Amino acid sequence: MVQVLELVRYCDETLSSAEFSDYAPNGLQVEGTREVSRLCSAVTASRAVVERAVEAGADALLVHHGYFWKGEPAPLVGMKGERVRRLMAAGVSLLAYHLPLDAHPELGNNACLAARLALRVEGIHAGAGVPGLLWEGQLDEPQAPEAFAAHVAAVTGREPLHVGSGPARIRRLAWCTGAAEGMLGAAAALGVDAFISGEISERTTHEARELGVHYFAAGHHATERYGVQALADHLAGVFGLEHLYLEDDNPV
């Protein structure tokens, strides 16, 4: 059992969250009413996830996508108000870590995706001006694009969308989980054969073809479900907590 503020301080220090300028506040977003002994985790703090966390008897919910994003209306009304109201009524704390959880070299989404896909990490770079977001590495053995797509699907449980026209065999790759299709140019500049992210835009197809790179849109949710589990498992070990991951499938 641990006080929620101690849990937040530990996460902030572990993830170096103060070093990131993010799109939403990292750390404690909704303060609950009790110490934490049961921790639930999820990719996004949707209403379905909140309801399941409450039903599971969670004292705190840890997510990658929380609330209070820049540019969204501030009042706690409608959908957002309902989510927060359910958390507060149950006394459940909400902790959210976005970019710090993408970039962490061991617990982050990029690190966890690399481990699951058996990618040998060879470099970590800034992406879109954020340190640690763009990773590069190699496969142990080159694979045809179709074989690599099947490998990604087997690992993530989601068939990736493959566009572009790169080499006939893929060895060197770059990746950034989530919505990082805008980093395709920076990835291509590293001389890789393929780039993996979560989402895709209309322009991505043309860019991948013209840059001579394979692009795999493997799913925003699918590529980012691992970091929050790794962090929660780590916290469970450090503080003796019970951890339950809540999957709320999202095809995007």
Side-chain angles (χ1 to χ4, degrees):
M1 186 172 291
V2 61
Q3 295 284 345
V4 67
L5 293 182
E6 182 181 350
L7 190 66
V8 172
R9 280 194 294 270
Y10 183 87
C11 289
D12 286 342
E13 292 174 2
T14 300
L15 301 177
S16 302
S17 60
E19 298 179 9
F20 291 83
S21 177
D22 213 329
Y23 307 103
N26 290 296
L28 185 62
Q29 293 192 344
V30 177
E31 187 172 7
T33 58
R34 55 186 179 270
E35 294 180 321
V36 179
S37 62
R38 178 171 293 179
L39 176 67
C40 283
S41 68
V43 176
T44 299
S46 64
R47 193 176 80 173
V49 161
V50 170
E51 291 174 343
R52 289 172 60 193
V54 171
E55 290 172 1
D59 304 304
L61 174 62
L62 173 69
V63 300
H64 182 50
H65 301 136
Y67 306 148
F68 313 113
W69 298 90
K70 291 181 180 178
E72 74 175 20
L76 294 177
V77 299
M79 179 181 69
K80 184 165 65 175
E82 182 64 25
R83 292 172 172 179
V84 173
R85 183 159 50 249
R86 288 169 185 258
L87 285 167
M88 298 193 74
V92 177
S93 296
L94 176 66
L95 288 69
Y97 290 93
H98 186 232
L99 293 179
L101 189 55
D102 288 322
H104 193 273
E106 297 174 1
L107 302 173
N109 285 315
N110 283 325
C112 291
L113 184 64
R116 300 229 174 199
L117 292 178
L119 305 177
R120 188 168 68 251
V121 179
E122 296 186 332
I124 301 176
H125 312 276
V130 180
L133 279 193
L134 181 59
W135 289 45
E136 68 168 315
Q138 289 195 27
L139 293 165
D140 286 336
E141 296 292 335
Q143 295 185 20
E146 298 77 13
F148 183 71
H151 173 53
V152 172
V155 169
T156 65
R158 179 191 184 279
E159 192 75 28
L161 177 60
H162 171 218
V163 300
S165 55
R169 307 283 284 180
I170 295 172
R171 178 183 285 276
R172 298 193 61 228
L173 306 97
W175 62 95
C176 179
T177 64
E181 66 270 32
M183 297 183 195
L184 177 56
L190 297 173
V192 299
D193 306 318
F195 181 50
I196 311 164
S197 188
E199 298 189 20
I200 189 168
S201 300
E202 188 275 340
R203 68 180 187 277
T204 311
T205 298
H206 306 293
E207 292 175 353
R209 289 170 179 167
E210 294 173 31
L211 290 169
V213 175
H214 296 284
Y215 181 78
F216 295 91
H220 194 139
H221 175 91
T223 59
E224 295 199 324
R225 62 159 65 98
Y226 308 117
V228 72
Q229 295 182 66
L231 176 58
D233 283 341
H234 175 77
L235 296 173
V238 171
F239 295 104
L241 308 178
E242 179 183 349
H243 169 225
L244 174 65
Y245 171 70
L246 304 174
E247 173 67 8
D248 186 20
D249 187 49
N250 186 334
V252 174

